[in-house]
Amino acid sequence: MKKEEDEYAVKTALLDARVYYNEEMEKHFQAKDWLEQAELQKLHEEIGDTAIENTKKEVDLTADQEKQLRKLMLNLYKRYDDKNLLRKPQDTYAIGIDLGTTYSCVAVCIKGKVKVIPCDEKTTIPSYVAFNADNSISVGEAAKDQAFRRPESTIFDAKRLIGRKFSDKIVKQDMELWPFQVIGDNDQPRIKIPGHQNTYRPEEISARVLFHLKKIAEEYLNKTVTNAVVTVPAYFNDSQRQATKDAAEIAGLNAKILNEPTSAAIAYDLQWTSDFKRNVLIFDLGGGTFDVAVLQIKGGKIDVKAIGGDTHLGGEDFDNEMVKHIIEVVKKKTGKDLGRGRNSMNPEEKRSASERLRRIRSVCEKQKRLLSSSTSTTIIIDRIDESYDLNEQFTRKTFEDLNMANFKKCIEITAGVITDAKMKKGNIEDIVLIGGSTRIPKIRELLTKYFGGKALNSTVNADEAVAYGAAVQAALEYGKRDEVSKNVWVSDVTPLSLGVEIHGGLMSVIIPRNTRVPCSKKSQYATLYDWQKVVNFSIFEGEDPLAKDNNKLGEFKLSGIPIARAGEEKIDLTMEVESDGIFHVTAVCRSTRGTKTIKIEAHKGRMSKKEITSAKKRNLKFH
Ligand code: ADP
Ligand code: MG
């Protein structure tokens, strides 16, 4: 009898030990996405030892029984080890980055779920870079917070400069409003920081923001990140895209470019489980740019029909209207000009004007946000000008009146894109709102009215959707399809027509705008003169019939053409656009059977490999 009781007690104790082992292992296993092999092994040993000790307290274990128990636990451990291996994350994760004009955001796709990575509990960071007095650099909130103290050394809006020429009239206009200095070098805009010998290209500023986001992601994932999908406005031209890629390279990221509205559409599409076809309009009004896209979505297939927008329309423009208004009101009331000294040659006057304007602007932006939920607010800044305290009532109505022209422009552009997509507004099934400025009630009202009272969709997060979609695309692009719950196929279109200048300065379009990418189109040209040995090609993008009024992307010569009469020698010009909008041109002289192929590799003004390498080094020095 005693013996039987003993046996029973041992059996129960062994069972308890297994249950204990399993429960403990499971607890640790569930607490983390993945455990290092050594960590799991250690857990197994520790839990196993405790299980044996506990059992020994209950019953007398023979050496054989102990061995048996250890074997049982080892089998259990092997199961955990296998499961753990399956959960093992890839050595590197690819991240999705929404590099915004005013705010940026980073996300990653892990095991089919997208995680927008927070930084100090916020999911977006201001796209601000500050060069500090001690030769360090701050990025994001830290940089924006001190912007009014060091306005000449705090850089924002790099996205407005990137890939543009110094002579661009948009650059000239923007410069008037920036407190930092931009100079031209070979028609390239460069940012000059007081006390710095070097000047910085906008690519280097954007690289700092990207670098910061990369670090946030690496800290979160506890892994090095080298691959990314970085989004750009659909309206970005080729040189703006290339420059964004270069910025990523400086930040140590190998990047693919994705259009922002397409990215938002991916995020939107993932909400749907049904497969019916829908026509979707993405309305993205952010801080700096306005983007519209009409897409057709069906079971993960995203077909972009048309895109459009304005590279210079957004929340910052609304802020500017508020600042101008406040200055006028104060001038009328007190005779004081809060904007004085802005263009002064006296550095001290200029500095104090910058500081004043910066403070007004920052309060205006905050109050503007409030006006989306309340109808009136007050702009208060103590001692804005010596002892003068600013205290002005500001109503939503005033805000709307000041910006009505801007708001109406958004609707006009939207209408144009729907026409480009060969649709009527009644064909649009969903209107998806993206970007911080879509919270403005008047915008929503005008849009609803335009669509005949149709409800707007705000199921995706207006601030995070772009980064969200980019994270999904990153997982797909970098071979981690199993990380994504639903497959997505994107087919995008070219934002601008691409062509070549022909006789008489006309633009001969080879790839019309809104052509699906990737694409390749060939066009034939002939020599113009007798015995012509060389043909010059100038490549442009834009919609103007005159080439010179479009944006010149580059030029090249095709030489070595055999001697012949005018028109006898034929040249094939092929333009190819990759799926991320980056493009190449090849010219082939037919009679030489393609041996004279020239590819446009670099843009006028694009950073050279050498420049990128030295910018990369410089970037690391600040760290
Ligand atoms: P971007 O992608 O261009 O950087 P975001 O989509 O992040 O811009 O939007 C930022 C803009 O949205 C800023 O101009 C900000 O002032 C504005 N914004 C954010 N929240 C609100 C709100 N509640 N009401 C009005 N504007 C807002
Ligand atoms: Mg944006």
Side-chain angles (χ1 to χ4, degrees):
M1 190 64 194
K2 179 87 176 43
K3 200 166 176 268
E4 265 177 34
E5 265 177 27
D6 279 355
E7 255 177 37
Y8 179 74
V10 169
K11 258 190 190 158
T12 319
L14 289 178
L15 195 68
D16 283 350
R18 278 176 59 183
V19 170
Y20 170 82
Y21 177 89
N22 236 342
E23 280 179 358
E24 283 300 300
M25 284 295 278
E26 194 65 30
K27 210 159 66 191
H28 288 278
F29 195 72
Q30 292 302 339
K32 277 193 180 171
D33 283 343
W34 178 72
L35 292 151
E36 292 283 348
Q37 172 94 40
E39 205 179 339
L40 192 69
Q41 173 103 32
K42 200 167 148 235
L43 276 175
H44 159 71
E45 280 161 15
E46 280 172 8
I47 295 168
D49 286 348
T50 317
I52 299 239
E53 260 170 50
N54 291 347
T55 318
K56 279 183 177 167
K57 273 184 210 153
E58 298 294 318
V59 292
D60 292 330
L61 274 189
T62 63
D64 243 17
Q65 282 166 332
E66 184 180 330
K67 215 166 123 188
Q68 206 190 342
L69 182 55
R70 284 208 185 268
K71 207 171 142 192
L72 272 171
M73 290 192 296
L74 187 67
N75 282 340
L76 288 174
Y77 163 73
K78 278 183 187 149
R79 291 226 304 264
Y80 278 108
D81 193 34
D82 279 352
K83 258 208 276 185
N84 190 43
L85 205 70
L86 286 178
R87 304 196 306 173
K88 187 179 174 180
Q90 276 78 11
D91 289 339
T92 61
Y93 269 106
I95 51 175
I97 295 181
D98 169 10
L99 180 65
T101 313
T102 52
Y103 287 88
S104 296
C105 181
V106 58
V108 66
C109 187
I110 308 175
K111 295 191 204 90
K113 284 203 199 105
V114 176
K115 174 80 190 160
V116 177
I117 307 175
C119 170
D120 295 333
E121 289 167 28
K122 289 198 177 131
T123 52
T124 59
I125 63 153
S127 309
Y128 272 64
V129 175
F131 292 81
N132 303 322
D134 63 357
N135 214 24
S136 66
I137 283 186
S138 321
V139 181
E141 215 70 62
K144 195 176 180 182
D145 279 350
Q146 54 88 70
F148 72 91
R149 259 183 240 120
R150 293 171 54 80
E152 317 87 340
S153 309
T154 309
I155 316 304
F156 54 95
D157 271 0
K159 193 172 172 179
R160 290 225 202 255
L161 275 172
I162 206 161
R164 289 188 191 273
K165 297 190 178 92
F166 184 67
S167 52
D168 189 323
K169 64 175 186 295
I170 287 178
V171 171
K172 289 267 175 300
Q173 273 168 20
D174 279 336
M175 276 170 58
E176 305 224 332
L177 292 166
W178 289 326
F180 49 85
Q181 200 188 351
V182 180
I183 55 167
D185 180 3
N186 251 330
D187 209 15
Q188 292 313 305
R190 285 179 169 270
I191 295 140
K192 184 150 180 42
I193 311 290
H196 283 229
Q197 258 191 332
N198 279 322
T199 53
Y200 300 90
R201 297 198 38 150
E203 287 92 324
E204 293 177 77
I205 306 296
S206 289
R208 281 314 303 197
V209 178
L210 290 169
F211 190 66
H212 189 74
L213 294 167
K214 170 176 140 94
K215 288 275 167 238
I216 292 174
E218 286 179 339
E219 239 162 66
Y220 176 82
L221 294 166
N222 204 11
K223 289 255 181 287
T224 315
V225 174
T226 46
N227 292 328
V229 165
V230 178
T231 60
V232 296
Y235 215 62
F236 253 23
N237 66 30
D238 192 58
S239 63
Q240 289 165 307
R241 282 164 202 267
Q242 296 276 14
T244 305
K245 262 189 129 158
D246 293 344
E249 195 177 336
I250 298 169
L253 286 168
N254 164 40
K256 290 219 156 97
I257 301 293
L258 177 68
N259 285 336
E260 283 160 15
T262 313
S263 193
I266 294 175
Y268 180 69
D269 181 48
L270 286 178
Q271 300 180 340
W272 297 97
T273 42
S274 56
D275 273 356
F276 60 96
K277 199 193 269 181
R278 339 175 50 89
N279 292 323
V280 179
L281 181 120
I282 306 272
F283 184 98
D284 178 356
L285 188 60
T289 54
F290 173 53
D291 261 290
V292 194
V294 173
L295 322 101
Q296 214 164 55
I297 298 182
K298 187 177 184 288
K301 269 187 78 174
I302 297 173
D303 218 341
V304 183
K305 294 293 176 193
I307 51 182
D310 189 325
T311 45
H312 212 290
L313 184 57
E316 288 189 330
D317 301 293
F318 312 153
D319 302 344
N320 284 342
E321 293 299 332
M322 286 177 81
V323 174
K324 275 197 265 175
H325 176 79
I326 292 289
I327 292 176
E328 262 169 46
V329 168
V330 172
K331 207 189 266 172
K332 238 186 235 156
K333 217 159 84 176
T334 68
K336 256 184 195 305
D337 180 7
L338 296 178
R340 74 177 184 283
R342 195 185 337 205
N343 298 319
S344 167
M345 297 305 276
N346 176 335
E348 193 40 49
E349 272 174 21
K350 198 172 163 152
R351 214 197 66 83
S352 83
S354 288
E355 180 173 334
R356 230 181 296 124
L357 290 170
R358 192 69 235 171
R359 287 175 70 194
I360 302 175
R361 197 177 224 292
S362 150
V363 173
C364 282
E365 198 233 352
K366 285 205 182 89
Q367 298 311 310
K368 172 191 74 176
R369 288 174 186 245
L370 269 181
L371 285 179
S372 290
S373 49
S374 52
T375 50
S376 175
T377 183
T378 326
I379 312 279
I380 300 175
I381 310 173
D382 288 344
R383 306 183 73 83
I384 181 67
D385 193 6
E386 288 156 6
S387 64
Y388 180 71
D389 296 336
L390 181 65
N391 189 328
E392 289 300 330
Q393 176 90 357
F394 198 95
T395 64
R396 185 192 282 178
K397 174 85 174 48
T398 313
F399 175 73
E400 291 171 353
D401 290 347
L402 288 171
N403 283 296
M404 198 44 89
N406 280 332
F407 296 169
K408 288 207 168 129
K409 212 161 143 194
C410 295
I411 307 297
E412 275 161 29
I413 293 171
T414 304
V417 176
I418 296 173
T419 310
D420 274 359
K422 301 188 179 65
M423 287 188 200
K424 300 231 155 43
K425 57 187 175 183
N427 298 125
I428 304 291
E429 269 124 352
D430 301 323
I431 305 142
V432 181
L433 302 182
I434 305 288
S437 298
T438 56
R439 296 206 181 84
I440 297 170
K442 195 72 191 178
I443 303 251
R444 292 182 173 223
E445 187 192 312
L446 291 173
L447 203 54
T448 309
K449 206 165 121 201
Y450 170 74
F451 281 102
K454 196 169 167 47
L456 308 174
N457 186 308
S458 35
T459 49
V460 293
N461 184 312
D463 301 315
E464 300 168 4
V466 174
Y468 190 109
V472 172
Q473 187 69 4
L476 295 173
E477 286 280 358
Y478 294 98
K480 308 207 174 75
R481 286 197 166 254
D482 53 337
E483 294 280 352
V484 184
S485 56
K486 179 174 175 181
N487 245 329
V488 190
W489 298 267
V490 175
S491 72
D492 234 312
V493 294
T494 52
L496 298 164
S497 300
L498 294 163
V500 62
E501 182 175 5
I502 52 166
H503 194 55
L506 295 177
M507 165 102 167
S508 160
V509 171
I510 298 182
I511 298 179
R513 112 183 113 116
N514 286 327
T515 299
R516 181 175 299 190
V517 292
C519 64
S520 168
K521 293 227 163 119
K522 203 192 271 180
S523 194
Q524 197 191 93
Y525 299 90
T527 46
L528 270 178
Y529 319 104
D530 291 346
W531 328 132
Q532 188 173 352
K533 282 192 198 143
V534 177
V535 181
N536 287 311
F537 288 100
S538 293
I539 312 297
F540 288 86
E541 61 180 5
E543 310 313 316
D544 204 281
L546 282 181
K548 73 170 175 48
D549 291 331
N550 291 319
N551 183 33
K552 187 170 181 174
L553 296 173
E555 55 189 358
F556 67 92
K557 275 190 184 116
L558 182 69
S559 49
I561 295 168
I563 290 170
R565 290 257 170 221
E568 274 182 1
E569 280 300 324
K570 303 280 189 291
I571 292 150
D572 284 330
L573 196 70
T574 310
M575 289 193 171
E576 283 174 82
V577 184
E578 289 174 42
S579 55
D580 60 359
I582 306 285
F583 106 112
H584 308 271
V585 187
T586 315
V588 182
C589 175
R590 282 209 176 169
S591 62
T592 53
R593 298 251 163 77
T595 48
K596 303 276 181 195
T597 301
I598 298 172
K599 247 186 186 167
I600 288 198
E601 296 288 2
H603 282 281
K604 252 179 102 180
R606 191 180 173 191
M607 291 177 89
S608 65
K609 284 280 162 232
K610 216 172 116 197
E611 270 181 293
I612 292 177
T613 313
S614 65
K616 230 171 159 170
K617 278 192 200 137
R618 207 150 57 177
N619 179 41
L620 290 172
K621 228 173 39 205
F622 277 111
H623 189 42

